[in-house]
Amino acid sequence: MTVSVHITNLQQLEKVSLRERVSRALRAAIVSGELEPGEVYSAPALGAKFGVSATPVREAMLDLVRENLVTTVPNKGYRITTVDEADLDDITELRMLIEPVLAAKVTAEIPAEDMPKLRDLARAIVDGALAGDLVAYTDADHAFHLQLLGYVGNARVSALIADLRAHTRLYGLASLDGSELEESAREHDLILDAIEANDPEAVERLMRAHISQTRGRWARPEG
């Protein structure tokens, strides 16, 4: 079974500012490959897909231009920035150096009362996978990882990882069948199981294996 890809209607996302909702959905669509590198998209066309007017799309694009995720094409729209394979390898290497170690470090510091919220985030990732909604999947995955990093209490680290994740491209994500995508989604619950067991070594090992698939299972297919 091949995953059916579609952009999430923004009415389904939680109530935050419309500009922020559009920005989040656009970032997720870029990372997941829903919006293709090198392609030019107009604000009205994207607005129609998201179920909003062109105005919040244009406002959100200002943020993405500053983040170098898109470039402006006069009188046409916005071109999705291409990230080459060497950049993607560098991004994965940096994440591998930072996230597994810090997740292990904060394992004992995550309050038990926070676990239901973390489980809800993990469930949202699975729900995105089961629905074949790559944008919802990617957005929930982003929220989960940044929530874990939040326990470190280092805003610079969180900002760095958020930036690295925004510039990641999961080129092979759409080619995964439903069971593969669900399997990847459920890895987050394994990480939470290790946290609840207060096993930092397992947390680091599971996190490292999870991140490594970015350049393994989801690398751009050759040819």
Side-chain angles (χ1 to χ4, degrees), residues 85-145:
E85 296 295 305
D87 282 336
L88 293 173
D89 288 338
D90 290 345
I91 288 169
T92 302
E93 182 178 9
L94 284 169
R95 288 189 61 199
M96 291 281 278
L97 288 171
I98 297 169
E99 289 189 68
V101 173
L102 291 183
K105 180 180 178 180
V106 300
T107 293
E109 301 174 18
I110 298 177
E113 56 266 29
D114 286 8
M115 291 305 297
K117 179 180 180 179
L118 290 168
R119 291 289 184 185
D120 285 345
L121 287 172
R123 179 65 205 179
I125 304 171
V126 174
D127 288 345
L130 293 175
D133 188 337
L134 302 187
V135 174
Y137 176 99
T138 306
D139 187 59
D141 180 70
H142 178 90
F144 177 90
H145 284 268

Side-chain angles (χ1 to χ4, degrees), residues 8 17 40 49 63 88-89 96 116 128 175 179 213 215:
T8 302
S17 76
V40 176
K49 287 191 176 186
D63 298 327
L88 293 173
D89 288 338
M96 291 281 278
S175 66
S179 61
Q213 73 179 343
R215 300 301 296 138

Side-chain angles (χ1 to χ4, degrees), residues 1 24 36 45 56 82 105 115 157:
M1 180 182 70
R24 284 174 51 188
E36 298 183 9
T82 300
K105 180 180 178 180
M115 291 305 297
V157 166

